[in-house]
Amino acid sequence: MKNRYLLPAALTAAAALLLTGCVNNEVATPDATGSTAAVTVDKAAEALLPDDIRQAGKLILGTDATYAPNEFKDANGDPIGWEIELADAMAGKLGLTTDYQVAKFDNIIPSITGGKYDVGLSSFFDTKERQQQVDMVDYFTAGIQWATLAGKSVDPDNACGLKVAVQNGTTEALDDVPAKSQACTDAGKPAIEALGYDTQDEATAAVTLGRADAMTADSPVVQYAVQQSDGKLELSGDVYSTFLYGMPIAKDRGDLGKALQAALQSLMEDGTYGSILSKWGVESGAIDKIDINGATS
């Protein structure tokens, strides 16, 4: 994966463009140059919608808006980011608006299975383990990366005895850091101390404030945090363990999954998908085809 994204100034300007859904057949969506283009309803995708969502006229999405540049908050506290823009455009293809419910990351999937949200939008890695609870509509790829204070050298493969900040409920917190810590103890070395935080903002702050030796998160998020840190942070190691991003939905909502898949595929085919990713500098994570439950591990 590419290790550089848009310059901070460009990302700041991009973040100022908040996408708002319209009530009719079009949704305003910024293109790669920052201008707006209309996303027209895809009638074939719209026809796949479950009746209850068509009648409601909106998608209710649970999101943890602390994961810039994927999803975060503007000055008014409203969710923005490339995933927000993509979901708004997806809803526009279905003739719907979006209703974002900000939540803790590890509460989103339980709220989907409990019927509170229609969709999760929070940079979820699609894994076989998550597929046991929900179906995942895949739309992107990202890997794992680490960051440290500038001038501090940390090897992600030899972080034994160090404190590493992670966001609770993420693959980094549940799988990756525990596996690396187990490798340490198996070799007779001190375990990694994982410091879990409810938001990525808190995990990043733990490093800048010296409470943790390093942090780990999805590669676009770590790279963005480094760029926005005014030189306080630097990348530590390369991107590894690439995963698909998926939008989780309840397993009994197959029609909804097919509708989301068709809408995203339509955005891919008309160029909107690529324009949104390019505007935010994350085009290296683009995929060629929208699938459901594409993860194999």
Side-chain angles (χ1 to χ4, degrees):
M1 295 179 65
K2 189 167 68 174
N3 286 339
R4 294 187 181 272
Y5 290 98
L6 289 179
L7 294 174
L11 279 169
T12 302
L17 294 168
L18 175 63
L19 178 63
T20 56
C22 301
V23 296
N24 297 317
N25 286 347
E26 296 180 340
V27 60
T29 244
D31 64 17
T33 65
S35 62
T36 58
V39 173
T40 304
V41 171
D42 185 309
K43 295 297 185 181
E46 182 187 31
L48 297 171
L49 281 171
D51 289 339
D52 61 325
I53 291 182
R54 182 183 295 106
Q55 291 168 8
K58 65 181 180 180
L59 284 174
I60 301 174
L61 302 99
T63 187
D64 166 36
T66 70
Y67 220 53
N70 301 3
E71 55 274 326
F72 57 114
K73 294 179 181 178
D74 66 6
N76 297 320
D78 296 316
I80 58 172
W82 70 264
E83 287 193 309
I84 301 297
E85 292 187 8
L86 184 63
D88 282 347
M90 176 185 71
K93 283 287 186 182
L94 297 169
L96 304 173
T97 57
T98 48
D99 178 0
Y100 294 102
Q101 302 290 316
V102 176
K104 291 181 181 179
F105 179 81
D106 50 1
N107 288 343
I108 294 175
I109 286 180
S111 295
I112 291 169
T113 58
K116 183 177 181 180
Y117 308 141
D118 300 315
V119 185
L121 185 76
S122 213
S123 308
F124 284 97
F125 283 167
D126 180 358
T127 64
K128 283 294 187 182
E129 183 177 0
R130 284 185 173 141
Q131 288 174 19
Q132 294 176 16
Q133 303 176 69
V134 290
D135 287 330
M136 306 290 282
V137 182
D138 302 321
Y139 57 96
F140 190 74
T141 60
I144 297 173
Q145 197 162 25
W146 290 41
T148 62
L149 283 175
K152 184 180 180 71
S153 178
V154 172
D155 179 0
D157 291 323
N158 187 21
C160 308
L162 299 183
K163 296 178 180 179
V164 179
V166 291
Q167 184 178 7
N168 293 329
T170 61
T171 295
E172 289 84 359
L174 297 176
D175 300 319
D176 190 58
V177 171
K180 290 183 181 301
S181 183
Q182 183 66 50
C184 290
T185 57
D186 287 348
K189 299 178 181 180
I192 297 172
E193 183 179 352
L195 304 180
Y197 295 91
D198 285 337
T199 71
Q200 183 58 42
D201 292 344
E202 294 172 315
T204 301
V207 181
T208 58
L209 294 174
R211 296 170 184 162
D213 298 294
M215 73 167 189
T216 178
D218 297 3
S219 49
V221 174
V222 173
Q223 291 167 18
Y224 183 88
V226 168
Q227 290 175 343
Q228 299 298 304
S229 71
D230 294 326
K232 295 178 182 178
L233 299 175
E234 63 182 30
L235 297 176
S236 184
D238 296 326
V239 178
Y240 62 92
S241 297
T242 300
F243 292 84
L244 286 163
Y245 273 179
M247 297 182 192
I249 61 169
K251 292 194 76 68
D252 60 354
R253 304 293 307 231
D255 289 347
L256 174 59
K258 291 176 181 177
L260 301 183
Q261 179 186 26
L264 287 166
Q265 189 67 43
S266 183
L267 290 172
M268 188 175 287
E269 292 168 359
D270 72 14
T272 303
Y273 171 87
S275 292
I276 291 172
L277 299 192
S278 294
K279 192 195 81 172
W280 287 87
V282 296
E283 65 273 15
S284 64
I287 59 176
D288 297 327
K289 183 176 180 291
I290 305 299
D291 287 317
I292 298 175
N293 295 334
T296 57
S297 61

